[in-house]
Amino acid sequence: MFQGLSYLSRGRRLVLCFLVLCVLFFIVFHAQRKPRTPLSPRRPFSPYECFMETDSDSWNEGPRRLEDVLLSDTLPPAGRSIFFHETRCRSPYSQYILNLTARQACSIESAALHNPNFQVFVLFASSTYISDDQKNPLYDALKSYKNVNFRQLNIRRYAKDTPIEDWLEKRDLFRSKFLTEHMSDLLRLLTLYRFGGVYMDLDVVVLRSLENVPLNYVGAHDNMTLGNAVISLEPRGIGHKIAKLFLRDYQQHYNGNDYVSNGPSLISRVIPKYCNANVKELLNNPQLCVGFHVFNSSAFFPLEWPQWTHFILPKFLNDTLTRTKDSYLIHLWNKASFRTLFKVGSNNAYGKYAELHCPKSYAAAGQYF
């Protein structure tokens, strides 16, 4: 086959033959290997596809996909569950391995630690996998709690038979400038509509039990604004009625260009209207809204967002501990604080609370928290 190359020197012909054999070996070897990539080719994808099921389960080996929360044999106990959501857009053609930050793990652990009679569910909005071969100290720390559960969800299935099912099909949500946040704003409302219970953001540290606090509550930021970092609703009755009002308001006033319009602003629209009283009146007279409670800012938001550094800077330690001593939890304002890490063992309020209320996550965090 190489007669046509007779004009080449013998040495060059040998080199060329060797290269051809290498290429043939490479082709045969890879043709016989078990595929370790999805059958779907990698290609550009839309934000909508992040939250839809794909054929990425067509893997012959390796990590396993988290169970779908609605298809699992173990559903969240209605009204006896605490929920966290992770809503970042992940490529549907990759195999994203569950990877929480130390602070997210702390939020989950503190909720599980102080509420052992509640089930804690961490729900991922994009396809998420677990790898038994990959060391994950934070995941291992959380799985040591019997009441911590990891699941994923499919937004279309999750919205089916809810007041927002038809609106979601218009795909306005997926054109949002703040898709991660607006997806989170919606999913917490859907989760409470489906199951009731307590929703929390992944940037809190729970300081004491909420098990004996009657469901149906939110917390105020101030005398005018209610927060959505913590929302509690009954699975039936008043709670379910309010959940329906939340979902209707979400689609009626949805604004994909505004960061808070579908979150705290939504809660601040619906609750005063339902209770027929403004936020200040509800704080001064909790009996105005029968069956629903608005906590003052010390319960969930003891420090306003411009003061987030008080959790991290040592000079504010004593003042911060004093201001949060009666709080159910602290909210860390992740949008502002996530880039500012501190060394484990630092003498600050966040570190003190983490060491006490999420000890396993704090120990597994490594050098920085």
Side-chain angles (χ1 to χ4, degrees):
M1 65 179 285
F2 295 106
Q3 291 179 355
L5 303 178
S6 59
Y7 63 89
L8 296 176
S9 67
R10 184 170 182 275
R12 290 184 177 180
R13 289 200 300 271
L14 289 175
V15 170
L16 183 59
C17 289
F18 176 76
L19 291 175
V20 170
L21 289 174
C22 287
V23 170
L24 290 173
F25 176 80
F26 180 84
I27 293 172
V28 172
F29 175 76
H30 280 273
Q32 294 178 347
R33 287 185 67 190
K34 294 181 179 180
R36 290 187 59 86
T37 55
L39 297 182
S40 297
R42 291 182 179 274
R43 62 177 178 81
F45 60 93
S46 68
Y48 176 78
E49 293 177 284
C50 291
F51 305 100
M52 295 297 117
E53 291 178 343
T54 68
D55 63 356
S56 59
D57 259 352
S58 302
W59 296 65
N60 291 340
E61 58 185 43
R64 63 187 186 279
R65 189 200 286 255
L66 289 178
E67 285 186 281
D68 187 296
V69 64
L70 295 184
L71 303 180
S72 173
D73 292 334
T74 305
L75 294 175
R80 302 293 292 175
S81 299
I82 296 173
F83 297 95
F84 296 93
H85 294 149
E86 218 292 351
T87 59
R88 281 177 289 179
C89 176
R90 307 289 185 185
S91 167
Y93 306 106
S94 67
Q95 197 176 41
Y96 169 68
I97 303 298
L98 189 155
N99 185 29
L100 296 168
T101 68
R103 294 183 181 184
Q104 290 174 327
C106 181
S107 300
I108 298 162
E109 181 182 357
S110 64
L113 176 67
H114 288 297
N115 300 277
N117 297 308
F118 276 29
Q119 290 296 308
V120 176
F121 279 81
V122 186
L123 306 181
F124 291 79
S126 294
S127 291
T128 302
Y129 292 76
I130 293 293
S131 174
D132 294 325
D133 298 330
Q134 182 176 351
K135 291 183 178 180
N136 194 331
L138 291 169
Y139 175 76
D140 293 339
L142 293 175
K143 287 302 293 180
S144 69
Y145 288 87
K146 295 182 179 179
N147 61 332
V148 172
N149 308 270
F150 293 93
R151 300 284 190 273
Q152 66 180 37
L153 60 87
N154 173 275
I155 181 62
R156 178 181 288 169
R157 184 184 297 121
Y158 212 56
K160 187 174 177 58
D161 299 324
T162 74
I164 210 162
E165 178 182 7
D166 293 338
W167 178 86
L168 186 68
E169 292 301 320
K170 298 177 182 178
R171 301 195 183 184
D172 289 347
L173 173 62
F174 304 98
R175 290 184 281 271
S176 166
K177 288 177 61 177
F178 308 99
L179 181 57
T180 297
E181 292 78 13
H182 291 168
M183 177 65 73
S184 179
D185 291 334
L186 175 58
L187 286 182
R188 70 192 68 188
L189 306 180
L190 277 171
T191 293
L192 294 174
Y193 179 86
R194 283 189 168 277
F195 303 111
V198 183
Y199 166 83
M200 296 180 184
D201 275 356
L202 274 168
D203 59 348
V204 304
V205 180
V206 180
L207 307 181
R208 54 195 176 106
S209 177
L210 289 162
E211 290 182 352
N212 295 322
V213 179
L215 298 178
N216 294 336
Y217 57 81
V218 294
H221 286 165
D222 49 44
N223 287 337
M224 297 179 61
T225 310
L226 301 177
N228 73 334
V230 180
I231 309 174
S232 166
L233 295 176
E234 291 175 326
R236 293 169 292 277
I238 291 173
H240 194 65
K241 181 178 180 180
I242 292 174
K244 186 180 294 186
L245 293 175
F246 283 157
L247 289 173
R248 287 176 178 170
D249 185 278
Y250 190 96
Q251 57 186 299
Q252 290 171 1
H253 297 96
Y254 177 76
N255 185 341
N257 297 316
D258 187 84
Y259 186 78
V260 300
S261 178
N262 315 304
S265 296
L266 180 152
I267 308 299
S268 300
R269 287 191 300 266
V270 173
I271 294 303
K273 185 176 181 179
Y274 174 80
C275 297
N276 196 28
N278 62 40
V279 174
K280 187 174 182 179
E281 290 170 335
L282 291 171
L283 291 174
N284 291 335
N285 187 359
Q287 305 305 318
L288 281 178
C289 197
V290 178
F292 193 89
H293 186 71
V294 175
F295 284 98
N296 64 34
S297 61
S298 66
F300 310 132
F301 308 102
L303 275 68
E304 298 177 2
W305 77 263
Q307 298 175 316
W308 65 267
T309 56
H310 289 218
F311 290 115
I312 294 175
L313 297 180
K315 67 179 180 179
F316 295 115
L317 171 62
N318 292 330
D319 177 67
T320 302
L321 294 180
T322 298
R323 294 174 62 181
T324 58
K325 64 182 179 63
D326 296 323
S327 301
Y328 282 101
L329 56 82
I330 56 173
H331 181 245
L332 281 305
W333 306 104
N334 181 67
K335 190 70 174 179
S337 67
F338 77 97
R339 288 190 178 91
T340 306
L341 303 181
F342 60 87
K343 282 191 175 183
V344 170
S346 297
N347 192 36
N348 59 22
Y350 197 171
K352 294 292 184 184
Y353 277 142
E355 188 174 16
L356 182 62
H357 301 286
C358 58
K360 295 182 181 181
S361 299
Y362 195 61
Q367 188 176 0
Y368 290 95
F369 190 85

